[in-house]
Amino acid sequence: MASTASPAQIRVHSAPLMDHRNPRAAHLEVFEPGWGDERAARGNLYILIELIGSSPVGSHAVREMQATAELTYYSAGGPVSQVLKQAIADAHEVLRNMNRNSPDIDLQAGIICAAVVQGHLIIASAGPTVAFIASDQRLEQFPLDEERFSSNVGGETEPNIHTYRRVLNSGDALFLGESEWILQSDVRTIGGAVVSTTESNMQDVVLHLQEQGDNVPLLGLLLVFAEEELAEEQGDEETVGTPLPTAVGAAPPVRNVPGEEGAGQFGASRSQVGVSSPELPSAATMQHQLTVPVRPRPSGRDRWRTRAFRILDRPSRWFSGLMQGLLPERKEPQSEQSQEYESEESAPSPQPAPSLQLEPSPQPAPSPQPMPSPQPAPPDPVVPIQEAPPLQTSESPAEASAEERIQLPALPGYAPPAPSMGNRRRLIIAIAILIPLLTSAVVGAAFLREGSINQEEGLQLVELADSKLLEVQQALAVDDKTTARASLSEAQRYLDEAIVLIGVTDQIQELSEVIATELQELLQTRALYSLDVPLLEYSADAEPQRIVVSNQDIYVLDSGQQAVSHYRANSERTMLEEDNGAILKEGDTVPGGMTVGRLVDIAWQPRISGFEDKASLLILDRNNNVFRYNRLDGATHLVLREQSSLGSVGQLGIYNGRLYLADERSDQIFRYTPAGLAYDDPPTEWFDEQVQGDLAGLIAMGIDGDIWLLSEDGTLLRFREGQQLPFSLERIPGLGGLLVDFAMAEHADGMLFLADATDERILVYDKEGRYIQQFVDAEDLALAGLRGLFLDEVSDILYILTKTGLYAHPLPR
């Protein structure tokens, strides 16, 4: 969790909802420039991109869109909302060009940009992304559901960009997220969490929201705004906050610094509504600040474009010197009012002028000297932010009136000089014609040069991919499939980078087909043909999460309905004989008066000789309570010694009669040994003291003598006797999907089965991390929405749990 202070005494506390190790976490970008950074005057920027579609260049596309949106926001001038709209439009153009250059990509996206500037929140959105804004008065959703799905970024049509703005108050909260949040949870749950968010409970709210994803990591960001206390002494006058600048390109306001005399005179009068200032900036200076934006240093990818403009700058300076020599400025007679205005403008100012000035209230001027009446100001091309938000804001009438008082000083009358005649006029016309021609020639040459470099780099990448295919043939000649798969992965990566630079050529298409053919043979893809009829089908509101099987008894934990259900299959495991419904639900009360909390995990406890004469299902709730269920005794509470010392247990396991509890808060696994009538002995810490366990984001745990831990970022770790073993899964082409669960055989030479929910497949590895094969559905339908796996080693049946059904399939031989 990070916190930054914005120029309007609003401190921002931010916390991402997805672990940074997840590859999709890069789709959220946070820009919080500190003081001293030239971008600080434009405030904080938060960009969240929801990518729609799958492509090898998806991550590259997201990075390009984020960089473009950032560059636009911190460089373009104009009202903040218009700049955010332009940032989204530029990001849309980047993705649309990628789709046009390579039709095989076919990516679209939703994007939401939130800016925190001078105590104001401005949001622009296009596509299905969603935001919730909570204040002490109301909760607002932006954009509305019917607006979110109107158009996406990256298509051929221009996206519909919606904007929202409000004045921030201390205690307000903001949630930015992808559309999957609404599908995995509901608006009431998310909104209630955002409304209740404070600085102190922010981390708890983050954990609560992460649970709504049902062990599927979702992209999101939570912000809390708090008032920043600033001690400024300015006599007996009361100061108020600085208003929102009219333009993003405006200079930051001037503030008094204790100990500097005279430095803050203008800043003090500026912050006092209704007090006139004797040192107002000139109208010309004000107009210049509104129309000249701050330009950041160009990035590396724009190096040729930057060189082109540097080259153009040299003839521009030469022409400027020539013009000054040939065309001296004419001195025209000026009116008394114009001369007085010019003298005011030429007077040195001790401080840089701000871009906005609050209109003083009608009070007696500090000086009796009369001022000339100003001329009516012309329309300003950069206007304040006045567009109506799609949802009602909580601005008070006082705030609205303060917005109306934001105006610019009037400009004096302008008398044009006499037109040039003769040779001087012809010279001006010739220069006006030559400058665009030279500009077009130099810029065109720079772009041609850049295109030539891209073409050369792309061809080199294609050659590297071709050389990797030769390495594949050499590895297959000695039956080294591991090296062959790694070389194919490298070849595909080179082709993906070449496609970004030069698009899909005939040679790239040919090499891609060769790689796909070789991979099909090396990956040992096996189709599962017995998934046509499920054992059980689930309704749309069900969220099946865990499955445990003992002989013919099947137990399923449904995190959506918060219930554990019991079923019994026939001996062939082809259909269900019994459907006993829910055996335990959240809110139930078991004998002894214990109330069941939110259910999080289940495990099977075999019969333990001398301790427990009946096999039972163990059920864990979020209150660290463990319940035991069997068909004879029903549901009972299992007493644990020193249970109050546990923090937040998210997983449980059973091995050789011992109970293992994974405590995410203390990053420790506690082991209970059977004693007495229950687990009467205190637990022991399983991790060695020198091991720094990290159980944050743990989604599955398996025990076969060693303990295996699967994290939400797809990392599978192996521990033995409290120490971590060197273990990693062999990287194969296309491996990078979302792993949601795993199952394994308990014997040492057994296999690991990992559920890949992204690519809808089951990956098979040995316990040394070597890739063996993968299972896919013959119809490409049954494995959609993978949730859980369970391996019945007695019958050699793999149980597959999905969002819509439960399947049982014999292991392929």
Side-chain angles (χ1 to χ4, degrees), residues 6-7 12 29-33 37-47 64-91 111-124 163-164 168 244-250 292-297 301 385 387:
S6 68
V12 184
E29 194 70 30
V30 175
F31 302 97
E32 296 178 335
D37 191 327
E38 62 181 4
R39 303 176 300 174
R42 295 169 182 258
N44 299 348
L45 177 64
Y46 307 91
I47 304 174
E64 290 295 319
M65 294 171 65
Q66 290 172 340
T68 301
E70 176 204 4
L71 180 63
T72 299
Y73 177 75
Y74 286 110
S75 62
V80 180
S81 59
Q82 294 299 325
V83 172
L84 288 178
K85 283 186 174 182
Q86 186 61 44
I88 293 180
D90 292 347
I111 179 172
I112 187 167
C113 300
V116 179
V117 191
Q118 296 285 323
H120 287 67
L121 171 66
I122 304 94
I123 308 177
T163 58
Y164 169 89
L168 289 173
L244 177 68
T246 297
V248 177
V292 180
V294 180
R295 296 291 178 185
R297 184 177 302 169
R301 56 178 170 274
I385 302 173
E387 62 272 21

Side-chain angles (χ1 to χ4, degrees), residues 156-227:
E156 287 301 321
T157 60
E158 296 296 328
N160 294 328
I161 304 176
H162 309 280
T163 58
Y164 169 89
R165 64 180 295 274
R166 66 168 285 115
V167 178
L168 289 173
N169 296 311
S170 180
D172 290 355
L174 170 65
F175 170 86
L176 304 176
E178 57 182 330
S179 60
E180 190 68 16
W181 282 98
I182 304 299
L183 302 178
Q184 293 289 343
S185 184
D186 57 80
V187 173
R188 178 173 298 181
T189 301
I190 300 175
V194 178
V195 167
S196 62
T197 303
T198 62
E199 297 179 60
S200 59
N201 70 352
M202 190 174 185
Q203 193 59 40
D204 294 333
V205 175
V206 168
L207 294 176
H208 172 71
L209 287 173
Q210 289 173 342
E211 293 175 0
Q212 305 306 311
D214 193 18
N215 289 328
V216 178
L218 298 179
L219 191 64
L221 178 68
L222 187 62
L223 302 174
V224 175
F225 306 98
E227 184 176 357

Side-chain angles (χ1 to χ4, degrees), residues 420-694:
S420 300
M421 304 295 292
N423 292 335
R424 180 177 298 169
R425 181 173 183 175
R426 286 191 290 272
L427 178 60
I428 294 175
I429 295 175
I431 292 175
I433 295 174
L434 285 176
I435 288 179
L437 294 178
L438 291 175
T439 301
S440 301
V442 173
V443 174
F447 277 107
L448 288 176
R449 173 63 176 169
E450 184 176 3
S452 176
I453 292 176
N454 289 343
Q455 184 74 15
E456 181 180 353
E457 292 179 356
L459 293 177
Q460 291 177 355
L461 290 171
V462 174
E463 292 178 1
L464 288 174
D466 198 5
S467 65
K468 286 294 180 183
L469 289 179
L470 294 178
E471 295 181 7
V472 172
Q473 300 301 326
Q474 296 172 0
L476 291 177
V478 295
D479 198 24
D480 187 357
K481 294 183 179 180
T482 301
T483 302
R485 284 192 290 263
S487 298
L488 281 176
S489 180
E490 286 291 309
Q492 186 63 56
R493 183 174 64 84
Y494 289 142
L495 288 184
D496 292 339
E497 294 177 2
I499 290 174
V500 175
L501 295 175
I502 62 178
V504 179
T505 64
D506 293 340
Q507 186 180 8
I508 291 178
Q509 186 68 30
E510 181 181 352
L511 291 177
S512 297
E513 293 175 356
V514 173
I515 292 175
T517 302
E518 294 289 347
L519 279 178
Q520 191 68 19
E521 298 179 1
L522 285 173
L523 294 182
Q524 296 292 313
T525 302
R526 306 282 297 274
L528 303 179
Y529 292 97
S530 300
L531 300 179
D532 49 347
V533 179
L535 288 176
L536 179 65
E537 294 185 11
Y538 291 104
S539 59
D541 60 342
E543 295 292 342
Q545 177 183 346
R546 284 283 189 272
I547 176 174
V548 169
V549 179
S550 175
N551 296 324
Q552 297 172 240
D553 292 311
I554 302 173
Y555 300 90
V556 176
L557 168 61
D558 188 330
S559 61
Q561 299 179 356
Q562 278 299 295
V564 177
S565 300
H566 171 240
Y567 311 94
R568 186 170 180 84
N570 62 356
S571 57
E572 293 80 15
R573 312 305 197 269
T574 57
M575 60 181 298
L576 296 180
E577 294 180 343
E578 298 179 18
D579 182 353
N580 298 314
I583 59 174
L584 192 66
K585 297 185 298 183
E586 180 183 12
D588 287 352
T589 302
V590 301
M594 181 65 66
T595 302
V596 180
R598 185 174 182 83
L599 305 177
V600 293
D601 198 13
I602 56 177
W604 186 253
Q605 182 187 52
R607 179 179 180 275
I608 304 174
S609 178
F611 175 75
E612 179 58 55
D613 58 352
K614 293 182 292 292
S616 302
L617 179 73
L618 298 187
I619 306 170
L620 172 70
D621 73 358
R622 182 52 72 183
N623 299 326
N624 303 332
N625 294 317
V626 178
F627 302 92
R628 180 165 48 196
Y629 171 83
N630 58 66
R631 303 188 71 174
L632 296 178
D633 301 331
T636 57
H637 179 232
L638 183 62
V639 179
L640 301 178
R641 183 75 176 273
E642 298 184 2
Q643 178 179 337
S644 60
S645 63
L646 300 175
S648 177
V649 179
Q651 301 288 327
L652 83 163
I654 291 288
Y655 185 75
N656 284 345
R658 296 189 177 101
L659 174 64
Y660 295 80
L661 300 178
D663 191 339
E664 299 174 0
R665 184 170 300 175
S666 62
D667 287 328
Q668 182 61 257
I669 296 178
F670 293 98
R671 181 176 63 185
Y672 283 89
T673 302
L677 298 178
Y679 294 97
D680 295 337
D681 289 344
T684 59
E685 296 182 354
W686 189 81
F687 280 137
D688 190 90
E689 295 180 355
Q690 299 178 352
V691 174
Q692 297 295 327
D694 184 7

